[in-house]
Amino acid sequence: MSTTKTLGSRLVILFAAVTVPLLLILYLAGNYAKGVVLTQVANSYQNLVNANLNMIDRSLDDITLNMVDIVNHDDNFRLFEQPGLSGSDAYFAQMELIKRNDTYQSYYHTVDMFFVYSKTNDQLVSTNLTGEAAAYYETVRQWLTDSFSYADRLKKAMYKWSVVHIADQYFLYRIVSDDDTNRAYIGALININSLRTPLGNLDLREGGGIVFTGDDGTVLSNPAPPLDALKQLPAEKLSKNRAFTYANGKTKLLIVSSRSRNVGVHTAVVIPNSELLRGLNAFQTFTYLLPLIVLAILIVYGFIFRSLIFTPIRQLLSAIRRIKEGNMSTRLPASGTVEFNIINHTFNGMVEEIVDLKIGVYEERLRAQKAQMKQLQLQINPHFFLNTMNIMFQLIDLKRHELAKKTIRHLVNYFRFMIGLKRDTITLEQEMEHIRNYLEIQKMRYQESFLYSIDIPERLKSLQLPSLFVQPFVENAMIHGMSLQNMPFRLEIEAFAAGGPEEGVRIEVRDNGKGLTPEQLQELNASHYTPESEDGSIGIWNVMQRMAMHYGDKAKLAFEANSPRGTVVRLQLPASSAEEGKEHHGEHADRGR
């Protein structure tokens, strides 16, 4: 039965159909409100970033124009590039260039160093290195001196601002030279961290900051804590020059970026989302708690509905299941609900009627089974008696009187057993003694042509089983399996414990006679075997019937081909239920009297 067809599942589905859309609407509303706040904040910061970045770009343009003007119109620069200057001329040219660049450096606060290099004289003259990179003065001068030995590095910096890495700092680098001679260069270095100066008026939230990145997303500046661990931003998102959200570990950040038109540097304002949404904390808290409130209401509702509807229904279903399993003592308690109280009372009345009816039918069935078992036992006796008379006739006819007397003695013991048999079950030892009388009679007839053995462990001799339970298989082996060709006919009976206690006891009857055809084996092993005529197979059918009555499906009977020839009959009996079957049958017999 599908679980969606139960009453409980349908009520849950109905309740979910109402509550889930409501929770979804609240969730979407909360996300929409967050999105609006983030968009408005992002637009505000985007305008500020663009305005300040334009100011930086204009400053870079002015710095470039200043250096171009010096190259084209400053006489001291032209003297500085000339070879063979006297010491005083070279000194005054250097001083004037440094003085002019100092003036420009004080005007352009973002420039950390101006420098002039004479290729003719291999001489570098520079202003002091200011700002956060002041401690790198000598390292920077050495890097500049070395850089003029690399034509590709000079060519790259001649036409646009570029980013260079000196020690552990990033700088903007630009040089200008006389295109005709290229004997002297003037240049400027701007530490990336110095670009934050024009952006100092931005009102950033707690935990926010300004970072500068390259086109590949590498962070070029040294951001203050807690952003000092931020080393990389996604380049594909930076290239779009618009706001985006980025997860830095467990912290979500709002990134508002824009790219400089003069150099491959992005200015990015980084603000934690939690700071931007601080004003929505109450709304967020309510949004997060609402599903828990609804869940609590649902749980309370479930407990109430369970006590009113589900518990009585489960009790009813459980009682029906126990009745089906045979527990007829099951009764339903009184209910506080009028409708269920009527149902429980009616159910209990029906169970009482079923019990009364079942007891009558069961006792009648026991009487019929007892009569049938007696009849089945009697059907076996004439068959064996006629076979025995035939053996005695042959012995007397052969004038083997001693053997005839011995046969009569065994026959007397056999009938004494049959006459004295008052119980439905006997021990395995008694059954084997009865079979031994039968086999001794057969031994008298066939002498050395017939051999038999009975192997029963001492601990299994007291095993209880239905009377005349193994004898029919021994008799059928003698009648239908006897073969005297080339070798004696051998019959073996063995009983042993088959594995653990739960596997019971196995009794095997083996012979090396004619055997059975595959068709006969298939027919005997069929679950509903019925003999076609009242020949020797009626005894097998009798055993099958009595086995079903005593053990139900706990016992098994199997026919197999023996190796190299003959037949094996295997009886698998539940050792733990043999005595129980006897007592259970005796109890029913007493009730049937």
Side-chain angles (χ1 to χ4, degrees), residues 315-332 347-348 350-352 354-355 358:
Q315 288 177 347
L316 178 60
L317 293 177
S318 178
I320 293 174
R321 189 178 299 110
R322 291 197 298 271
I323 292 295
K324 183 179 179 181
E325 292 172 354
N327 185 4
M328 303 305 295
S329 63
T330 302
R331 298 294 183 272
L332 288 174
F347 177 85
N348 292 337
M350 292 174 58
V351 173
E352 293 289 346
I354 292 173
V355 169
K358 186 174 182 180

Side-chain angles (χ1 to χ4, degrees), residues 369-484:
Q369 286 182 349
K370 184 175 180 64
Q372 184 181 12
M373 288 184 64
K374 292 296 182 182
Q375 182 182 4
L376 291 175
Q377 289 182 359
L378 290 175
Q379 288 176 350
I380 298 174
N381 295 335
H383 191 188
F384 175 69
F385 178 74
L386 292 176
N387 287 333
T388 306
M389 290 296 100
N390 186 43
I391 294 173
M392 291 173 58
F393 175 80
Q394 293 179 7
L395 289 174
I396 294 173
D397 188 52
L398 294 172
K399 300 186 184 301
R400 304 184 69 174
H401 301 98
E402 289 300 324
L403 293 180
K405 288 192 290 183
K406 190 174 181 180
T407 303
I408 292 172
R409 184 167 60 252
H410 285 296
L411 184 61
V412 169
N413 291 335
Y414 170 79
F415 279 108
R416 182 180 292 116
F417 174 83
M418 293 297 297
I419 294 171
L421 188 62
K422 302 296 182 182
R423 297 184 301 168
D424 297 324
T425 59
I426 60 175
T427 64
L428 181 60
E429 182 180 21
Q430 291 171 331
E431 175 83 0
M432 291 300 106
E433 186 61 32
H434 181 61
I435 291 175
R436 186 175 283 105
N437 287 324
Y438 172 80
L439 293 179
E440 283 295 328
I441 294 173
Q442 301 292 1
K443 181 70 174 175
M444 297 298 175
R445 176 181 176 183
Y446 296 106
Q447 297 297 319
E448 300 301 325
S449 298
F450 170 61
L451 302 172
Y452 77 91
S453 64
I454 299 177
D455 184 9
I456 306 297
E458 188 67 31
R459 60 191 180 90
L460 295 181
K461 289 183 178 180
S462 60
L463 174 69
Q464 294 285 333
L465 75 165
S467 59
L468 304 178
F469 205 55
V470 183
Q471 189 267 348
F473 303 108
V474 175
E475 183 178 348
N476 281 342
M478 294 299 303
I479 295 173
H480 302 289
M482 173 66 77
S483 175
L484 302 177

Side-chain angles (χ1 to χ4, degrees), residues 69-79 96-97 100:
D69 182 70
I70 291 176
V71 170
N72 292 332
H73 303 102
D74 194 306
D75 293 335
N76 291 308
F77 182 81
R78 293 186 178 280
L79 287 173
E96 289 299 324
L97 288 173
R100 181 172 181 177

Side-chain angles (χ1 to χ4, degrees), residues 17-38:
V18 176
T19 56
V20 170
L22 176 61
L23 295 177
L24 183 60
I25 291 172
L26 291 173
Y27 176 78
L28 293 177
N31 279 350
Y32 176 75
K34 294 179 186 178
V36 170
V37 171
L38 292 177

Side-chain angles (χ1 to χ4, degrees), residues 52-120:
N52 284 275
L53 191 58
N54 287 334
M55 185 174 63
I56 293 175
D57 284 335
R58 286 196 300 271
S59 177
L60 293 177
D61 290 338
D62 290 343
I63 294 170
T64 302
L65 290 175
N66 170 63
M67 292 190 296
V68 171
D69 182 70
I70 291 176
V71 170
N72 292 332
H73 303 102
D74 194 306
D75 293 335
N76 291 308
F77 182 81
R78 293 186 178 280
L79 287 173
F80 186 72
E81 68 178 359
Q82 297 297 323
L85 286 180
S86 63
S88 59
D89 291 338
Y91 175 76
F92 284 113
Q94 294 174 20
M95 293 301 295
E96 289 299 324
L97 288 173
I98 293 298
K99 182 179 179 180
R100 181 172 181 177
N101 285 328
D102 277 335
T103 303
Y104 278 117
Q105 187 173 359
S106 63
Y107 178 74
Y108 299 111
H109 299 290
T110 55
V111 178
D112 292 273
M113 175 186 281
F114 279 108
F115 61 88
V116 182
Y117 177 75
S118 173
K119 188 175 183 181
T120 304

